Amino acid sequence: MNRFATKQCTVGRVLSFAGIGVHNGQPANLTIEPAAVDSGFAIRRKLQDDSYSEILPLHHNRVSRTYLCTAIDLGDAGTISMIEHMVSALSGMGIDNALITVEGTECPVLDGSAGRYVDAIVEAGIETQPAEKKFIKIKRSVTVRSNDAFAALEPYNGRAFDVEIDFESDVIGRQRMIFDWSPKRYVDDVSRARTFGFIKDAKVLRQAGYALGSSLENSIAVDENEILNKDGLRYEDEFVRHKLLDAVGDLALAGMPIYGKFRSYKGGHGLNALVLNSLFASEQNYEIVPASDLPLEFDALEQLPEGLELRGYIRSVG
């Protein structure tokens, strides 16, 4: 295995993003900075007086809300919502350590996918670091359920996702995607799938303070049995691919990449958070292993998207 397969990684330089929050409709700015080894994903807010809140781990035990998105509790600094697309891009690209700063209470929705985050990471390159990657290896299956919906984590020699959705809509219907992760496959098959919503729900959501920034520029709009976006879908099954994109981001809140299989049916942010809670409820469910101890050579980490530059460790961060 090469350095990327065995070494921790961070982004090649500071990345900046500006847009609006899809739910609050307010301006939102976000930066992703290189971070030190073993720091994982950490987050803070830039406050109105240009000071910063405390830096906190971006971890599942800080999840405060899962209705329509994933929100993180920062204590006295309030919450930051819609973190899943940004974290999905980092995890999907194989990044281990990054410092995220958000100006506002919501991450910018950009085009409704993780595509622009991915493009910025590819342009900046990835820097390998002088510490070995670590994984959470699933030892024992855990499952959480809500009526007929479920989410599960199972032992598996690799990183796999099996996501199925079922909507009472002829436009969506029942879709399933089985995905064996690699950075290249994430970029090609998942990263550009956009969030979606139903026109029939828009009025109620906006009255409740949600979807205030939603538009055809950042969401797929489904009206009865048609899609309102003039350019149509980016993938024939874009809806399930976006659910998988969300799952990659939500599961990254485990604190390390998961070595195992995630399965869900009619899942979402709530079940994704609950399955992590169930996983960590017992140390018999998992173990922390270095990349060199994985039961299979982790070839997926060698499959990189076109144009991505890997650079060896040349500086200290953090």
Side-chain angles (χ1 to χ4, degrees):
M1 292 187 285
N2 68 18
R3 286 175 59 85
F4 186 63
T6 61
K7 298 298 183 182
Q8 293 182 32
C9 297
T10 191
V11 292
R13 58 175 169 80
V14 177
L15 311 176
S16 299
F17 307 89
I20 63 168
V22 71
H23 291 303
N24 63 22
Q26 298 299 309
N29 297 295
L30 182 149
T31 60
I32 301 173
E33 301 178 43
V37 298
D38 293 327
S39 60
F41 301 146
I43 193 166
R44 64 181 177 179
R45 278 189 64 193
K46 184 177 181 180
L47 306 175
Q48 291 184 341
D49 62 0
D50 289 335
S51 65
Y52 294 92
S53 68
E54 179 185 4
I55 297 173
L56 295 170
L58 195 51
H59 200 256
H60 76 98
N61 59 16
R62 304 203 72 86
V63 172
S64 61
R65 190 177 72 250
T66 57
Y67 179 61
L68 299 177
C69 67
T70 297
I72 295 292
D73 178 20
L74 299 185
D76 293 340
T79 63
I80 295 176
S81 62
M82 204 70 188
I83 57 93
E84 61 270 16
H85 298 174
M86 172 268 299
V87 183
S88 180
L90 292 172
S91 179
M93 292 292 287
I95 301 293
D96 300 284
N97 307 302
L99 171 61
I100 299 116
T101 303
V102 180
E103 186 174 358
T105 60
E106 191 172 331
C107 296
V109 67
L110 304 178
D111 73 342
S113 76
R116 294 186 188 174
Y117 292 115
V118 161
D119 289 344
I121 294 169
V122 170
E123 182 181 351
I126 289 176
E127 185 174 289
T128 58
Q129 299 178 287
E132 191 170 12
K133 281 183 181 287
K134 297 174 185 175
F135 293 83
I136 297 169
K137 180 183 175 184
I138 306 300
K139 294 173 59 179
R140 189 169 66 176
S141 296
V142 293
T143 303
V144 293
R145 298 182 181 275
S146 176
N147 298 318
D148 61 339
F150 73 85
L153 286 166
E154 303 170 350
Y156 180 78
N157 285 342
R159 292 182 68 188
F161 296 79
D162 183 348
V163 174
E164 187 171 3
I165 61 174
D166 192 358
F167 284 86
E168 292 182 358
S169 164
D170 291 342
V171 173
I172 304 176
R174 193 163 185 167
Q175 299 179 4
R176 183 182 183 187
M177 185 175 185
I178 300 174
F179 177 73
D180 280 291
W181 174 85
S182 77
K184 184 178 188 330
R185 292 190 196 115
Y186 177 83
V187 171
D188 293 345
D189 299 336
V190 178
S191 69
R192 304 192 190 282
R194 294 161 293 174
T195 191
F196 59 92
F198 297 91
I199 295 299
K200 63 181 177 63
D201 298 330
K203 183 178 179 179
V204 173
L205 288 175
R206 285 173 176 159
Q207 288 175 340
Y210 295 98
L212 299 178
S214 178
S215 73
L216 296 179
E217 301 300 316
N218 57 42
S219 305
I220 304 170
V222 180
D223 186 16
E224 296 296 333
N225 293 317
E226 64 175 330
I227 294 167
L228 299 186
N229 304 68
K230 291 182 180 180
D231 294 334
L233 299 177
R234 295 177 177 176
Y235 311 91
E236 182 179 357
D237 55 351
E238 188 168 356
F239 302 98
V240 72
R241 290 174 191 248
H242 185 78
K243 286 291 189 178
L244 198 151
L245 182 156
D246 281 345
V248 172
D250 288 340
L251 293 183
L253 301 185
M256 299 176 194
I258 291 175
Y259 190 82
K261 177 181 286 187
F262 170 77
R263 292 193 305 118
S264 73
Y265 174 67
K266 292 185 178 181
H269 302 298
L271 285 176
N272 295 345
L274 287 173
V275 81
L276 286 183
N277 291 342
S278 294
L279 175 69
F280 291 113
S282 171
E283 292 185 356
Q284 295 182 16
N285 294 335
Y286 68 95
E287 62 179 327
I288 308 299
V289 297
S292 58
D293 286 351
L294 292 174
L296 288 180
E297 184 173 344
F298 211 16
D299 294 331
L301 280 164
E302 315 291 344
Q303 299 178 17
L304 305 180
E306 183 177 353
L308 176 64
E309 178 188 0
L310 293 180
R311 295 192 292 272
Y313 179 77
I314 57 174
R315 59 191 165 87
S316 61
V317 292

